[in-house]
Amino acid sequence: MSLTGFTRTCSLASGGMKKFYAAIVADVTSFTLNSTYYNACTMVAGKVFKEFQFDRDTFELKETETIENGCKKIVHSVEFYISKMSADSRAALNEIIDASACGLIAIVEDNNGTKWTVGYSQSHLKDRALSLKGANSTSGKKLTDQNGTTITLESEDTDKMRIYSATVPVTNTPAVTSDAITDITSSTATGGGNVTDDGELTVTERGVCWSTHATPTTSDSKQAAVAGGEGTFTVSLTSLSAETAYHARAYAINSAGTSYGAEVEFETTA
Amino acid sequence: MKKSKYRIKPEYLGKDVYTAKPEYDRPGGAKFKLDKNLSETDLAFLFEVVGYEGIERS
């Protein structure tokens, strides 16, 4: 065996973890390994990872490797400190603690933007999930003391953590495409689109927006379809001015935000 | 209808797979729902570029 060595740039020397995404084991089907990193994640239909963000310098990811009786043992642990007992942080804490009983698979993003999979093993697949090691709450004795809870999730494995290079499965804004405008008269036209992905959230509204300037939004004129949801829809554009050039695009709204399809142009008749 | 060069393995049908965002333009971005609506380009991307285990040559 030989050593290959490595060099690092200063930009890679910053530490700290940025985001923690977690899913319960049953919701994750597998990660796809491409040479040394995972480049895809397969989820049970409609299931996604949940995102947690913590205060700066309160979140740590550890990998400890030991040899026991000639066998390699690697412990992965994730430790958070949630300061102050606000209702929000208690709720987040309880969510993690409750879910960890089922076993968690996590994607942890560090401050360099690198994402690491924890609780999923190429050798043992989902049998090395993260589970709760401890949750210790403390109150300070003095007014200036911090109080809060330290929570530790841990997994024993024989593999090291691997980098995750794909998009993290989280809820997103919808994906929508625009249809060409048809049936154009001096004051009306027909538009439509197709919501091809609801982003795992209910599409509450979809329709077409238009204006005489480029890049129309829902703040301009718009016509919503009769119902939300995925799939194709058609709407009528009314109160248009004769012999006028318009820009239009389909839109779809879920609780993550508003998405737009490609812009289409049309001109009303005389 | 032209027969596809690829097929989704039965045990993967209906699942959602997330990859890096493909270089070609597609409405779903990096998320692929593994069903009959996947285009030949999508199937080729998953099999040839990603090396996805849920797709095989037909």
Side-chain angles (χ1 to χ4, degrees), chain B residues 4-53:
Chain B
S4 172
K5 282 170 62 180
Y6 310 95
R7 74 178 192 111
I8 301 166
K9 291 180 183 174
E11 63 270 32
Y12 285 84
L13 274 171
K15 296 189 185 297
D16 297 330
V17 57
Y18 294 77
T19 68
K21 194 172 181 191
E23 289 189 1
Y24 64 96
D25 199 24
R26 68 183 299 274
K31 178 190 170 187
F32 298 78
K33 180 164 267 308
L34 298 178
D35 61 22
K36 60 182 175 53
N37 294 322
L38 281 184
S39 68
E40 192 70 7
T41 307
D42 292 337
L43 292 166
F45 170 77
L46 289 170
F47 184 82
E48 308 285 355
V49 179
V50 176
Y52 185 58
E53 71 274 16

Side-chain angles (χ1 to χ4, degrees), chain A residues 174-186:
Chain A
V176 59
T177 59
S178 302
D179 290 345
I181 303 296
T182 58
D183 307 328
I184 302 167
T185 70
S186 61

Side-chain angles (χ1 to χ4, degrees), chain A residues 8 17 55 66 71 110 127 134 139 170 172 181 185 190 200 209:
Chain A
R8 301 191 80 194
M17 310 311 292
D55 294 339
T66 55
C71 297
D110 66 26
D127 290 339
S139 67
V170 289
N172 290 311
I181 303 296
T185 70
T190 300
E200 308 307 340
C209 57

Side-chain angles (χ1 to χ4, degrees), chain A residues 200-239:
Chain A
E200 308 307 340
L201 297 166
T202 302
V203 173
T204 52
E205 184 180 320
R206 56 185 181 165
V208 174
C209 57
W210 67 91
S211 72
T212 53
H213 58 77
T215 323
T217 69
T218 51
S219 301
D220 297 306
S221 301
K222 68 169 185 174
Q223 180 60 55
V226 176
E230 283 185 309
T232 58
F233 61 90
T234 304
V235 296
S236 296
L237 284 58
T238 57
S239 304

Side-chain angles (χ1 to χ4, degrees), chain A residues 31-40 122 162 165, chain B residues 49-51:
Chain A
F31 286 90
T32 302
L33 185 67
N34 182 347
S35 63
T36 57
Y37 53 88
Y38 292 120
N39 67 346
Q122 194 56 30
R162 291 182 187 269
S165 65
Chain B
V49 179
V50 176

Side-chain angles (χ1 to χ4, degrees), chain A residues 102-210:
Chain A
C102 306
L104 291 174
I105 291 174
I107 297 170
V108 179
E109 183 175 348
D110 66 26
N111 278 320
N112 296 316
T114 304
K115 302 184 195 84
W116 302 89
T117 51
V118 193
Y120 185 88
S121 162
Q122 194 56 30
S123 300
H124 307 282
L125 305 178
K126 299 195 291 182
D127 290 339
R128 293 294 184 270
L130 284 166
S131 59
L132 186 69
K133 178 77 173 175
N136 303 305
S137 298
T138 55
S139 67
K141 292 178 181 172
K142 300 174 189 172
L143 185 65
T144 52
D145 285 345
Q146 281 203 316
N147 60 70
T149 298
T150 301
I151 177 169
T152 307
L153 301 170
E154 197 172 279
S155 135
E156 285 188 11
D157 204 342
T158 53
D159 289 353
K160 294 188 177 187
M161 291 183 295
R162 291 182 187 269
I163 289 175
Y164 180 73
S165 65
T167 302
V168 179
V170 289
T171 51
N172 290 311
T173 53
V176 59
T177 59
S178 302
D179 290 345
I181 303 296
T182 58
D183 307 328
I184 302 167
T185 70
S186 61
S187 61
T188 62
T190 300
N194 185 10
V195 178
T196 56
D197 183 0
D198 62 8
E200 308 307 340
L201 297 166
T202 302
V203 173
T204 52
E205 184 180 320
R206 56 185 181 165
V208 174
C209 57
W210 67 91

